[in-house]
Structures are given as C-alpha cells and as structure tokens.
Amino acid sequence: IDGPYFIYVGNAYPHKNLKQAIDAIIHLNKKLIQKALLVIASSRDVFVKRLELSVNDLKAGKFVRLLGFVPDKDLLGLYKNSEAFLFPSLSEGFGLTGLEAMASGTLVLASDIPVFREIYKNQAIYFNPLDFSSIAKAMKDALEMNPAKRTLMIKEGQKFSQRYSWSKMAKETLKLYKSCLE
C-alpha cells in the first residue's frame, strides 16, 4: 500500500459505521496534499457488497481499498505500517481489534462510546462516531502528530495491551466457574 493509510479490520455490519468512515476519508483528503487511504480488511459477504456500492456511489474508490479477508499472519504488517487503526463503531461488546492494533504497534482512533472508554482508557484518540468531520479530525491529528508523541503513545499502547490475554481470560473464567460450583 503506497502512501499513508488508516486501517479497519472486522465485519462490515451496519453498526460498524463504515459509511461515516468513508465520508471522513473523503472529507480528510479534500484538505491533504498527500492523499491518505482507508483500507478495510473484511470477509466478503452481503455487507461488504453493500459497502462496495457505497464506495462507488460516493466516488470514493481512489481513497478506499477493500481487501477482503486478510490472514492473521499478514495483519501485523498492515497494522504496524498504518497511520492508525480506525474503529468507528456505534456499539461493541468488547473491541478486541483495537487491542490487537495496539499490541501490533499502531495508534487507535476509536468512537467515543462507553465500552471503548472502559477498555482502552486513555490509550486511544476518541471521536464522535456520528460526525464524519470529527472522525476526519482524529485522522488528521494522527497524521500530524509529533513523532515523539506518536512513539510514546504506541509504546504505552503496547504495554497497556499486555493487560489482556487469552490465557489470563481462561484462568479467570475457570476460577469463576469453580466459585459457582462451590
């Protein structure tokens, strides 16, 4: 992928709010000399087909790249080389991909919704998911961020993401089950 890009990884369900993200990248590129891309890695399904129609309707093909399914082994490089992971969701149960992005060494731009505030704390740059200009501003802030601040945020995010692990979750779940049986 040539040039700066933002990445979204996940389903293209309507609550993921990708239409606003597309509007944001269009808005952002009106103000940039070097254009940025929105790269979307999402398995092909009816929702991705609808997203493709939106990209065409909005004439955003030069700013949006739909990758389809990307194997886990290739995601690390996509995260790490991006300007930031963009998570414009309107609702989530947890937000695992944001932690995955942090662990991979990229910034996280996330919707200002309670679950993200609870999980990511101050490790993300938040925006109003209902306002494409707010999303675009967060993207612009990531592009223009002081390199020292960027490096610090990435290192702090990587350290923060280590609080979560499958092993720790399994142990805590087993402990909870055992306590219920007693």
Side-chain angles (χ1 to χ4, degrees), residues 14 67 97 120-121 177:
L67 300 181
T97 49
Y120 306 146
K121 309 285 186 213
Y177 285 160

Side-chain angles (χ1 to χ4, degrees), residues 14-149:
H15 75 276
K16 299 294 186 171
N17 201 30
L18 296 174
K19 166 79 169 55
Q20 286 282 21
I22 294 167
D23 287 339
I25 198 72
I26 293 167
H27 183 73
L28 177 67
N29 277 305
K30 289 178 182 174
K31 300 176 180 188
L32 296 177
I33 294 171
Q34 182 182 6
K35 304 304 180 195
L37 291 175
L38 173 60
V39 174
I40 299 173
S42 184
S43 297
R44 298 280 174 195
D45 64 12
V46 68
F47 297 105
V48 172
K49 292 196 185 315
R50 289 180 190 165
L51 193 59
E52 287 173 344
L53 292 174
S54 289
V55 169
N56 290 336
D57 290 346
L58 295 167
K59 297 176 180 31
K62 60 187 171 189
F63 304 131
V64 179
R65 192 160 306 153
L66 301 172
L67 300 181
F69 174 78
V70 175
D72 287 344
K73 66 180 178 59
D74 298 329
L75 281 177
L76 176 64
L78 284 172
Y79 280 134
K80 192 174 181 103
N81 294 314
S82 70
E83 295 297 319
F85 172 71
L86 183 67
F87 210 167
S89 193
L90 298 173
S91 65
E92 286 296 326
F94 185 76
L96 183 62
T97 49
L99 290 171
E100 185 176 76
M102 278 182 209
S104 299
T106 194
L107 296 176
V108 172
L109 311 180
S111 295
D112 192 356
I113 57 176
V115 69
F116 288 166
R117 287 278 184 181
E118 180 182 344
I119 300 301
Y120 306 146
K121 309 285 186 213
N122 63 346
Q123 301 302 317
I125 297 169
Y126 295 99
F127 55 80
N128 176 353
L130 301 174
D131 179 3
F132 71 85
S133 65
S134 178
I135 301 170
K137 182 185 180 315
M139 295 165 94
K140 187 172 188 288
D141 290 348
L143 286 169
E144 296 175 349
M145 186 177 285
N146 172 294
K149 180 179 178 184

